[in-house]
């Protein structure tokens, strides 16, 4: 076996110290890991099992068997070949080459087990078990020279019925050795041996000689594993291929033979949707179909030893497909007829379905082409008018035809989205919006009848590719992004948003079934993508059409995923920190649906709760002044009691600081004087540089920008009532009941125990204040969440304090840690620290 530096140690190390799994076998001596060497010369673990050696009838010799300890399945079945070089390494490892570029290793848990198997191998090869390698390793070129001198070629037994067993053994014994495989392949080629074997196959079938047919199966399967193109060309020729398939019907491991030939001749029918005049092309199509059938259906699934030995078969099919695509592409008459019949209204439905399926398969074959050939392929289809043809097909009633057309369209979009964009912009100059290709695609997405909307998901992905600026071209003369997005928002966006607008005319969705919710979620996903990538196009559309207000109606959906999609859409808009958007949100009071959803969600600790808190936290952390003022002025009444996170109190603090600066512009300079006085260590005059340092520091610490009230909201306009007040009024009947729920804590679910902490007389607290307003949102009262007792950073640990715990109303309350009484008076302007009166206000669901 070839040297693998360092590999054995790694394998041996991985196998040591394992226990016996599952109690199947108590004999840990025979417990092994099976490894194979991959193309990168790294060892892959194939599984753990127990090894044994016994005579295997099928392999005609002593073999190594490894059965998986998990389920008893066969991990390894390897005949101990007399000519294979086995190596024993590090007392627990046996390594050998099973075939060319296919190395195996058994890593034993115990040395005793390794020694037992090593003795069996040496016994078969007639070697002394004391050796560490059973064969002398010879350089391959030297081995070839030696073999060439000693035996110029491999002599095959005469091709007779009585010698089939001998031939099968010869083929099987040649497979492990690359050199013998080469010689066997040459002998089979030179003597026309395959055709002689197929003649014997007819004799065996006539005589119903099952044993002979089983030998022929093994021989033909072995010839496949020789991996030779020259042999495949003989086997897959018109005169031989059906007999080869016939031989492979008689698998010895099956009680009955398969009926592959019957399927290929009677069931599978070749349909020429357009007559093919070239006989060579027709023969190539037949051959490719049959070889693909052999690979997929006839040949058994390759074992771990054989998976690298059928690469030539894959290549044979691949190059056949390339050849077929090339020959069809060059046949202009064929393609012209194809597209003419596709678009002809007189073509009947069955015929059109066959034509579309052919075109779909034709495009699928193109995926095997090299990039430059694929360019030429799609250019040919484009010149032939594939996009106008698809437009005609997509406008038809037949669902199967439309589905196949969608698949073809996906090939075109994935290959060259610019080609599709150029076509739809050109046709917009001549056609109405209703029949534009891109609008037909949107309509099919909206009208998908699949309950899971599989087709709609595919089409949404294609639309996203088409509107993605990342794959749009920019040249000196024109910018594709500007042109296409201008076209899309003018001609297509109203089609995309139609279901959304139709469903959100009231305060809640007019249709809220699962399929509608899924469709609206897909549309929102695309709109969210547009917000992120399309800047002013989508901004104008959202503000002019009042899209965000309509989207937020979906917050009232019974489907949580749809409500979250609506919230994500708003969060993406707020994330842009664009004042045009912010003024629109404030003017239309578009936080009301979010606050409603937050209050209706109650104490449930779920994704909705976290996502809403995160949105407000973003506004606080990023200090979006206009939105902060708007939220506090209009919704503070509803949010002031939420104290399991510091987000809302932090927003209030931000708001008060803004108002304070606005009302008293001299405050900043006063604070600067106080701060300078506080930091002086003696009466000396501050140097200019030091004073400048303090001024700069103060500028950094305090943001002096004034908050401009939204111009769209007159202060004294009595007609515009506080929207949340309306909301609260509508809930007035339930107010007392809700307050009771809010003030009580249920210990079920995620709610933390709630404690009131009082200190015994004479005991001073040095506990620091509760977690600051800068804490991130967490679970409502969940252990370890920011702002809850027991969470890291919420309180300083104090083991010296004695706490008397009292309960309120029979329920255990959250810990209330008062601020440090002896905090320095000079910390009067600490902006981020908030004491928490930790009332557990929300009941867990």
């Amino acid at each position: 076996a070839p040297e693998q530096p360092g590999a054995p140690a790694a394998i041996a190390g991985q196998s040591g110290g394992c226990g016996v799994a599952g109690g199947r076998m108590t004999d840990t001596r025979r417990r092994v890991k099976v490894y194979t060497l991959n193309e990168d010369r790294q060892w892959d673990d194939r599984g753990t099992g127990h090894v044994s050696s016994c005579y295997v009838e099928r392999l005609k010799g002593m073999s190594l068997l490894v059965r998986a300890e998990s389920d008893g399945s066969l991990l390894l079945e390897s005949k101990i070949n007399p000519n294979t070089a086995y190596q024993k390494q590090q007392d627990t490892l046996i390594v050998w080459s099973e075939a060319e570029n296919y190395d195996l290793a058994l890593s034993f848990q115990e040395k005793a087990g390794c020694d037992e198997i090593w003795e069996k191998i040496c016994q078969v090869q007639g070697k002394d078990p004391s050796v560490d390698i059973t064969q002398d390793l010879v350089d391959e070129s030297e081995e070839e020279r030696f073999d060439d001198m000693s035996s110029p070629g491999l002599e095959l037994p005469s091709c007779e019925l009585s010698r089939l067993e001998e031939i099968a053994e010869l083929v099987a014994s040649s497979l492990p050795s690359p050199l013998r495989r080469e010689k066997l392949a040459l002998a089979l080629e030179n003597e026309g041996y395959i055709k002689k074997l197929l003649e014997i196959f007819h004799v065996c079938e006539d005589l119903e000689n099952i044993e002979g047919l089983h030998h022929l199966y093994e021989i033909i399967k072995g010839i496949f594993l020789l991996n030779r193109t020259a042999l495949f060309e003989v086997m897959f020729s018109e005169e031989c291929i059906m007999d080869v398939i016939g031989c492979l019907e008689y698998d010895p491991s099956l009680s009955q033979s398969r009926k592959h030939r019957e399927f290929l001749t009677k069931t599978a029918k070749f349909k020429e949707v357009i007559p093919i005049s070239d006989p060579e092309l027709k023969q190539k199509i037949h051959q490719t179909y049959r070889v693909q059938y052999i690979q997929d259906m006839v040949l058994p699934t390759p074992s771990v030893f054989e998976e690298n030995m059928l690469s030539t078969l894959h290549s044979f099919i691949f190059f056949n497909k390339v050849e077929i695509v090339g020959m069809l592409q060059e046949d202009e008459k064929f393609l012209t007829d194809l597209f003419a019949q596709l678009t002809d209204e007189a073509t009947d439905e069955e015929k059109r379905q066959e034509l579309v399926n052919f075109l779909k398969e034709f495009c699928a074959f193109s995926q095997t082409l090299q990039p430059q050939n694929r360019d030429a392929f799609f250019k040919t289809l484009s010149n032939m008018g594939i996009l106008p043809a698809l437009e005609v097909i997509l406008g038809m009633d037949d669902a199967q035809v439309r589905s196949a057309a969608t698949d073809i369209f996906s090939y075109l979009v994935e290959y060259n989205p610019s080609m599709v964009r150029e076509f739809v912009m050109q046709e917009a100059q001549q056609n109405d919006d209703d029949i534009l290709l891109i609008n037909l695609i949107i309509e099919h997405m909206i009208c998908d009848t699949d309950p899971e909307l599989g087709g709609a998901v595919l089409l949404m992905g294609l639309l996203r590719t088409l509107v993605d600026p990342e794959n749009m071209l920019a040249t000196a003369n024109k910018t594709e992004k500007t042109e296409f997005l201008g076209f899309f928002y003018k001609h297509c966006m109203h089609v995309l948003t139609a279901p959304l607008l139709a469903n959100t005319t009231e305060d809640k969705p007019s249709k809220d079934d699962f399929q509608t919710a899924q469709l609206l979620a897909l549309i929102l996903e695309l709109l969210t993508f547009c917000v992120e990538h399309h800047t002013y196009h989508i901004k104008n559309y959202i503000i002019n059409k009042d899209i965000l207000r309509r989207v937020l109606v979906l917050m009232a959906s019974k489907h949580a995923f749809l409500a979250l999609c609506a919230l994500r859409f708003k969060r993406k808009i707020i994330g842009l920190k664009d004042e045009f958007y912010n003024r629109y949100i404030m003017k239309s009071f578009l936080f009301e649906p979010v606050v409603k959803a937050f209050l209706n969600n109650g104490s449930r600790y779920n994704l909705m709760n976290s996502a809403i808190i995160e949105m407000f936290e973003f506004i606080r952390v990023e200090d979006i002044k206009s939105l902060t003022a708007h939220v506090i002025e209009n919704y503070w009444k509803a949010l002031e009691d939420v104290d399991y996170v510091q987000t809302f109190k932090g927003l209030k603090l931000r708001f008060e600081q803004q108002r304070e600066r606005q009302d008293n512009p001299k405050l900043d300079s006063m604070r600067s004087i106080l701060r300078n006085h506080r930091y002086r260590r003696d009466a000396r005059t501050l140097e200019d540089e030091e004073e400048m340092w303090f001024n700069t520091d103060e500028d950094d610490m305090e943001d002096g920008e004034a908050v401009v009230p939204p111009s769209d909201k007159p202060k004294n306009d009595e007609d515009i009532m506080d929207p949340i007040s309306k909301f609260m009024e509508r809930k007035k009947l339930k107010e007392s009941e809700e307050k009771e729920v809010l003030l009580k804590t249920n210990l079920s679910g995620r709610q933390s125990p709630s404690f009131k902490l009082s200190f015994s007389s004479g005991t001073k607290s040095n506990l620091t204040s509760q977690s600051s307003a800068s804490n991130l949102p967490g679970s409502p009262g969940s252990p370890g969440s920011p702002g809850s007792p027991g969470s890291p950073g919420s309180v300083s640990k104090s083991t010296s304090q004695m706490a008397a715990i009292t309960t309120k109303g029979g329920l255990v309350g959250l810990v209330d840690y008062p601020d440090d009484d002896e905090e320095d008076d000079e910390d009067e302007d600490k902006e981020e620290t908030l004491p928490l009166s930790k009332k557990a206000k929300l009941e867990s669901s």
Side-chain angles (χ1 to χ4, degrees):
E3 279 291 318
Q4 289 91 39
I11 297 172
Q14 288 181 56
S15 66
C18 299
V20 180
R24 275 180 174 277
M25 294 178 66
T26 54
D27 184 8
T28 57
R29 286 176 309 151
R30 296 289 185 91
R31 192 163 185 264
V32 294
K33 273 185 179 286
V34 181
Y35 290 89
T36 57
L37 197 67
N38 64 26
E39 292 176 357
D40 300 322
R41 309 305 288 167
Q42 300 294 318
W43 290 99
D44 291 336
D45 185 350
R46 293 287 183 172
T48 304
H50 291 84
V51 64
S52 60
S53 62
C54 59
Y55 184 87
V56 175
E57 183 65 34
R58 189 172 64 79
L59 300 178
K60 306 293 184 193
M62 290 295 290
S63 304
L64 298 176
L65 304 178
V66 179
R67 293 200 174 273
E69 66 178 9
S70 56
D71 58 5
S73 61
L74 201 60
L75 290 178
L76 176 72
E77 182 179 65
S78 173
K79 183 180 177 181
I80 302 171
N81 198 295
N83 303 318
T84 298
Y86 290 82
Q87 290 184 65
K88 186 167 76 161
Q89 301 175 7
Q90 301 176 357
D91 291 332
T92 58
L93 194 68
I94 297 175
V95 183
W96 72 99
S97 287
E98 189 75 25
E100 185 180 8
N101 297 326
Y102 196 82
D103 293 354
L104 281 159
L106 292 180
S107 182
F108 289 75
Q109 183 170 332
E110 295 183 14
K111 179 180 180 297
C114 183
D115 291 342
E116 286 177 16
I117 295 299
W118 184 249
E119 282 181 21
K120 296 286 186 186
I121 293 168
C122 292
Q123 186 180 337
V124 171
Q125 295 202 342
K127 303 290 180 182
D128 187 330
S130 62
V131 299
D132 286 334
I133 185 164
T134 61
Q135 305 285 335
D136 292 327
L137 290 174
V138 184
D139 181 71
E140 191 165 297
S141 58
E142 290 179 24
E143 185 183 345
E144 284 178 6
R145 282 202 299 274
F146 175 76
D147 277 11
D148 285 343
M149 287 186 292
S150 59
S151 57
L154 190 71
E155 194 173 329
L156 290 168
S158 58
C159 197
E160 298 170 7
L161 181 58
S162 58
R163 303 192 72 176
L164 284 178
E165 185 175 359
E166 188 183 340
I167 298 166
E169 285 180 6
L170 176 66
V171 171
S173 65
S174 300
L175 290 176
S177 163
L179 191 63
R180 285 173 66 80
R181 269 210 320 271
E182 184 75 19
K183 290 186 174 181
L184 176 60
L186 285 170
L188 290 168
E189 285 173 46
N190 295 337
E191 298 179 24
Y193 210 79
I194 291 173
K195 289 184 180 178
K196 293 176 186 174
L197 286 170
L198 296 177
E199 287 171 13
I200 296 178
F201 166 70
H202 285 292
V203 173
C204 286
E205 273 209 318
D206 292 341
L207 297 173
E208 296 184 0
N209 183 340
I210 300 301
E211 188 182 353
L213 291 169
H214 285 171
H215 288 315
L216 281 164
Y217 171 89
E218 298 289 356
I219 293 165
I220 296 296
K221 182 189 166 193
I223 293 173
F224 268 96
L225 297 176
L226 291 176
N227 219 16
R228 292 278 292 199
T229 306
L231 295 177
F232 287 155
E233 284 172 358
V234 175
M235 295 164 77
F236 300 151
S237 64
E238 189 73 23
E239 58 180 313
C240 294
I241 189 165
M242 295 307 284
D243 290 337
V244 168
I245 292 170
C247 291
L248 293 172
E249 289 180 354
Y250 294 95
D251 185 344
S253 63
L254 301 175
S255 56
Q256 283 190 326
S257 62
R258 298 290 178 86
K259 304 292 182 188
H260 298 303
R261 286 170 295 174
E262 187 178 314
F263 172 81
L264 289 171
T265 53
K266 294 180 182 175
T267 310
K269 298 291 183 186
F270 176 64
K271 291 183 179 178
E272 288 183 73
V273 289
I274 303 287
I276 297 173
S277 53
D278 185 347
E280 187 186 348
L281 173 58
K282 197 182 291 188
Q283 191 274 327
K284 190 69 71 178
I285 292 170
H286 282 302
Q287 185 189 57
T288 306
Y289 176 77
R290 288 166 180 169
V291 176
Q292 186 90 56
Y293 182 81
I294 290 173
Q295 183 192 42
D296 296 340
M297 304 299 297
V298 181
L299 282 178
T301 305
S303 66
V304 288
F305 316 127
E306 297 161 355
E307 59 191 357
N308 297 331
M309 297 169 75
L310 290 171
S311 56
T312 308
L313 182 62
H314 300 308
S315 301
F316 188 93
I317 295 167
F318 172 84
F319 288 115
N320 261 20
K321 288 181 177 179
V322 170
E323 213 172 324
I324 289 167
V325 172
M327 291 165 83
L328 285 171
Q329 198 177 321
E330 290 164 13
D331 192 337
E332 284 193 25
K333 183 181 182 307
F334 179 86
L335 289 178
T336 307
D337 289 350
L338 174 67
F339 285 107
Q341 290 192 37
L342 263 176
T343 53
D344 187 353
E345 290 182 7
T347 307
D348 65 69
E349 285 188 11
E350 189 178 345
K351 177 72 170 177
R352 184 174 278 110
Q353 189 174 333
E354 290 172 358
L355 290 163
V356 174
N357 285 335
F358 171 81
L359 187 57
K360 175 184 166 183
E361 196 171 354
F362 190 34
C363 290
F365 271 29
S366 74
Q367 302 305 296
T368 61
L369 298 174
Q370 295 298 314
Q372 65 272 20
N373 296 340
R374 203 178 309 150
D375 283 347
F377 173 80
F378 281 112
K379 197 169 182 180
T380 302
L381 290 186
S382 181
N383 294 338
M384 286 287 174
I386 189 169
L387 286 165
L390 284 178
E391 200 166 49
V392 172
I393 299 163
L394 286 166
M396 293 177 179
D397 296 331
D398 192 321
Q400 285 184 312
V401 168
R402 289 202 312 265
S403 174
T406 302
D407 291 338
I408 296 166
F409 183 69
S410 72
Y411 285 122
L412 295 169
V413 171
E414 286 165 16
Y415 169 70
N416 191 347
S418 291
M419 179 178 80
V420 178
R421 291 190 202 107
E422 190 177 347
F423 169 76
V424 294
M425 284 191 287
Q426 284 175 355
E427 66 163 353
Q429 298 166 12
Q430 300 150 6
N431 298 335
D432 295 335
D433 286 0
D434 292 346
I435 58 171
L436 294 181
L437 175 61
I438 198 163
N439 284 345
L440 288 171
I441 292 295
I442 294 171
E443 283 170 21
H444 288 318
M445 182 195 83
I446 291 168
C447 301
D448 187 7
T449 53
D450 177 10
E452 297 297 324
L453 294 189
V457 171
L458 169 67
L459 291 171
M460 183 58 73
L462 298 178
L463 286 172
R464 185 159 150 167
T465 303
L466 287 174
V467 300
D468 186 355
E470 296 295 320
N471 61 45
M472 293 183 185
L473 306 172
T475 62
N477 303 327
K478 62 172 186 174
T479 306
E480 189 181 16
K481 177 180 176 181
T482 306
E483 288 191 5
F484 181 74
L485 292 183
F487 155 82
F488 183 79
Y489 280 88
K490 183 179 179 182
H491 297 280
C492 308
M493 187 56 103
H494 67 278
V495 183
L496 179 67
T497 54
L500 171 68
L501 297 175
N503 210 34
T504 53
T505 52
E506 306 295 333
D507 290 341
K508 60 181 183 179
S510 50
K511 276 184 75 178
D512 205 18
D513 58 281
F514 179 70
Q515 193 162 352
T516 303
Q518 269 197 310
L519 175 64
L520 293 178
L522 278 176
I523 293 170
L524 280 178
E525 188 182 327
L526 187 59
L527 289 176
T528 306
F529 178 84
C530 293
V531 167
E532 188 174 1
H533 293 90
H534 290 176
T535 59
Y536 68 91
H537 286 98
I538 188 73
K539 188 196 305 180
N540 290 341
Y541 190 80
I542 287 172
I543 294 174
N544 292 336
K545 301 288 185 184
D546 200 14
I547 295 294
L548 179 56
R549 185 176 66 80
R550 304 295 282 271
V551 166
L552 290 174
V553 169
L554 301 176
M555 293 284 292
S557 170
K558 67 183 179 185
H559 299 284
F561 70 88
L562 181 57
L564 285 164
C565 281
L567 185 64
R568 191 182 305 121
F569 179 71
K570 181 170 182 177
R571 173 65 177 81
K572 187 65 73 175
I573 289 173
I574 289 174
L576 296 175
K577 297 190 283 189
D578 184 316
E579 278 305 308
F580 282 102
Y581 276 132
N582 293 348
R583 282 199 289 275
Y584 162 58
I585 289 170
M586 293 184 296
K587 180 181 177 181
S588 301
F589 295 99
L590 295 181
F591 276 101
E592 183 176 350
V594 177
V595 173
K596 277 185 186 179
F598 183 66
L599 295 175
N600 288 335
N601 190 59
S603 61
R604 289 193 288 277
Y605 175 43
N606 53 19
L607 195 53
M608 179 64 73
N609 176 275
S610 299
I612 293 174
I613 290 174
E614 190 278 333
M615 184 170 72
F616 285 110
E617 181 70 10
F618 176 83
I619 293 168
R620 188 193 69 78
V621 170
E622 295 296 325
D623 197 15
I624 305 175
K625 294 179 173 55
S626 55
L627 294 184
T628 301
H630 177 75
V631 169
I632 296 303
E633 286 171 357
N634 293 286
Y635 308 105
W636 173 244
K637 225 183 289 181
L639 301 172
E640 63 180 330
D641 289 336
V642 180
D643 59 2
Y644 52 80
V645 288
Q646 292 300 290
T647 296
F648 301 109
K649 287 182 170 56
L651 273 174
K652 183 78 180 328
L653 181 62
R654 288 270 195 208
F655 172 71
E656 287 167 353
Q657 288 167 352
Q658 291 169 25
R659 184 60 62 83
E660 196 178 349
R661 292 190 195 110
Q662 205 175 341
D663 294 345
N664 190 357
K666 295 179 180 178
L667 185 65
D668 285 347
S669 57
M670 181 65 72
R671 280 188 174 170
S672 180
I673 292 165
L674 289 171
R675 183 180 289 273
N676 288 343
H677 175 72
R678 186 164 62 239
Y679 280 107
R680 286 180 60 182
R681 296 179 182 175
D682 52 40
R684 68 181 175 83
T685 306
L686 289 172
E687 293 178 2
D688 290 343
E689 293 91 333
E690 200 165 333
E691 189 168 359
M692 192 184 298
W693 184 88
F694 278 122
N695 288 336
T696 305
D697 178 57
E698 190 62 41
D699 289 340
D700 290 342
M701 296 284 285
E702 309 289 348
D703 191 340
E705 288 183 36
V707 178
V708 181
S711 57
D712 297 307
K713 186 187 175 191
K715 288 181 180 178
N716 300 320
D717 191 347
E718 294 178 2
D719 294 329
I720 301 177
M721 290 181 66
D722 183 339
I724 200 62
S725 297
K726 290 183 195 172
F727 173 62
M728 299 298 276
E729 283 170 19
R730 286 196 294 272
K731 291 199 157 213
K732 206 164 186 180
L733 295 173
K734 296 181 179 179
E735 199 173 56
S736 58
E737 183 184 331
E738 281 191 1
K739 278 190 176 178
E740 191 175 340
V741 171
L742 290 171
L743 290 170
K744 286 186 180 180
T745 301
N746 191 332
L747 287 179
S748 64
R750 295 176 176 270
Q751 203 71 21
S752 295
S754 210
F755 297 98
K756 279 286 178 189
L757 190 67
S758 59
F759 294 92
S760 54
S761 58
T763 308
K764 267 193 179 179
S765 159
N766 66 356
L767 294 176
T768 59
S769 64
Q770 280 286 354
S771 61
S772 72
S774 62
N775 274 334
L776 293 175
S779 65
S782 67
S785 67
S788 66
S791 66
S794 62
V795 294
S796 300
K797 288 183 181 176
S798 176
T799 54
S800 60
Q801 309 305 325
M802 295 295 292
I805 298 171
T806 60
T807 59
K808 185 179 179 183
L811 292 174
V812 193
L814 288 172
V815 182
D816 185 8
Y817 295 107
D819 291 330
D820 188 350
D821 297 334
E822 297 187 355
E823 190 79 349
D824 194 329
D825 291 341
E826 290 176 353
D827 286 343
E828 63 195 16
D829 62 332
K830 260 190 188 176
E831 295 177 6
E832 295 297 316
T833 307
L834 281 174
L836 255 184
S837 60
K838 218 19 168 163
K839 299 174 261 176
K841 292 188 171 55
L842 297 182
E843 174 187 66
S844 72
S845 56

